[in-house]
Amino acid sequence: MVNLSIQLAPKHPRGLLLANPVMTASGTFGYGTEYSHLFDIQKLGAIVCKGTTLEPRDGNPQPRLAETAGGLLNSIGLENIGINALIKEKAPIWASWHVPVIVNIAGETVGDYTRLASQLDGVAGISGLEVNISCPNIKAGGAEFGANPDSAAEVTTAVRKATSLPMLVKLTPNTSDIAKVAEAVAEAGADAISLINTLKGMAIDIAKRRPLLGNITGGLSGPAIKPVALYMVYEVAGAVDLPIIGCGGITTASDALEFIMAGASAIQVGTASFTDPRAPLDVLEGIEQFMKKEGIENISELVGAARR
Ligand SMILES: Cc1cc2nc3c(=O)[nH]c(=O)nc-3n(C[C@H](O)[C@H](O)[C@H](O)COP(=O)(O)O)c2cc1C
């Protein structure tokens, strides 16, 4: 037997213990319910739901998806059911699951984030929050909250005060120094740090001579971003003393093991679920097989192995 369990929030009074390090990435696995008939999703370490806002959102104009070499561009624009429907319709289902569900939250102002956090506090079926700071800060002219350490820390401090739940803060790669942002977020009270969100990109339809996406720009994900994500995880793991959740292009168990060896305690599978919904489970089984083959009893032996 190998021990795959990991503690994602060691500094939190209740902690957030996962049976294994494989999570789903926000926006690529709905609310989990859409996938529960395809495989036993409760074998996963945790489910992270679609980014949730105060009001329901229809998202950006179509087209909102474009395939690129080794990747996917999306400009979904946070289409979601809104927090009230999430609490009423989704949380009661999650409360009957043993797999922890983490709610990803998104806002345009610090006040949006704190209202979301306080409304979710104490709701049965919700085990933690993941604060998506890759959102435009309306008061600061639309720059992403996570683009600089000060605004990243401001949101983190405010959400920390508004919730007693374990809090993951999800970083954007669209910044000049992600380690500085990670340090600021750690200082402001994050329990763990997830990274990375999508990289800003675009595509052009040459027949129409127009940007391909209705929103003009979008976020790049998938295997194309894996080396960038891995590098950023390596940087951040060297800068902060918090569990790190690696994300970006993870498709196979060996991808996941690279992130773990770079310093991630857990990983998220995102775009890979669109080509194969079972990808998160295959990644988990592959990690387990690797550990057995290598005679590793505890996953913690592999965390940061490439740094030592
Ligand atoms: C269609 C789509 C929707 C996404 N929606 C969200 C979201 O609502 N909140 C969020 O924090 N990240 C969102 N992401 C980013 C992913 O969670 C993940 O950070 C990113 O795609 C990189 O991982 P991947 O390459 O494995 O997909 C979305 C990604 C995609 C492709």
Side-chain angles (χ1 to χ4, degrees), residues 283-297:
V283 167
L284 171 60
E285 288 171 358
I287 294 173
E288 204 170 344
Q289 276 161 20
F290 178 85
M291 288 173 66
K292 286 182 182 152
K293 186 165 74 62
E294 299 281 318
I296 291 156
E297 281 172 21

Side-chain angles (χ1 to χ4, degrees), residues 43-263:
K43 286 187 174 162
L44 299 176
I47 308 285
V48 183
C49 79
K50 174 67 193 163
T52 299
T53 51
L54 285 172
E55 298 300 327
R57 281 173 64 108
D58 293 334
N60 286 326
Q62 301 281 359
R64 310 197 294 192
L65 287 177
E67 285 189 47
T68 65
L72 177 71
L73 271 173
N74 92 80
S75 60
I76 303 297
L78 288 173
E79 177 179 351
N80 79 98
I81 59 175
I83 189 170
N84 291 337
L86 178 136
I87 291 172
K88 206 165 149 227
E89 293 159 23
K90 307 296 176 186
I93 301 172
W94 298 336
S96 70
W97 294 356
H98 56 79
V99 61
V101 176
I102 294 168
V103 175
N104 181 289
I105 57 170
E108 293 178 341
T109 64
V110 173
D112 287 353
Y113 285 97
T114 55
R115 276 194 290 281
L116 286 158
S118 56
Q119 285 187 47
L120 292 166
D121 205 27
V123 175
I126 299 174
S127 297
L129 300 182
E130 181 177 64
V131 186
N132 174 10
I133 57 171
S134 305
C135 303
N137 178 352
I138 296 303
K139 284 196 182 131
E144 289 179 29
F145 283 97
N148 78 71
D150 292 342
S151 50
E154 191 190 351
V155 183
T156 308
T157 304
V159 176
R160 177 76 290 162
K161 286 190 191 135
T163 185
S164 64
L165 285 166
M167 173 177 62
L168 286 44
V169 176
K170 181 167 177 183
L171 304 187
T172 171
N174 304 313
T175 175
S176 54
D177 191 344
I178 199 161
K180 285 262 172 338
V181 177
E183 282 167 9
V185 157
E187 178 78 9
D191 290 303
I193 295 181
S194 355
L195 72 154
I196 59 174
N197 212 312
T198 53
L199 281 151
K200 208 164 209 181
M202 72 181 294
I204 288 177
D205 180 336
I206 57 167
K208 294 186 181 148
R209 303 181 195 182
R210 290 287 311 143
L212 203 149
L213 295 171
N215 187 53
I216 301 175
T217 63
L220 183 65
S221 63
I225 72 167
K226 195 190 93 181
V228 178
L230 192 62
Y231 161 69
M232 290 185 164
V233 165
Y234 190 87
E235 283 286 296
V236 168
V240 299
D241 181 25
L242 283 183
I244 306 231
I245 301 140
C247 176
I250 298 175
T251 309
T252 64
S254 66
D255 294 335
L257 286 160
E258 284 189 65
F259 279 81
I260 291 168
M261 291 179 190

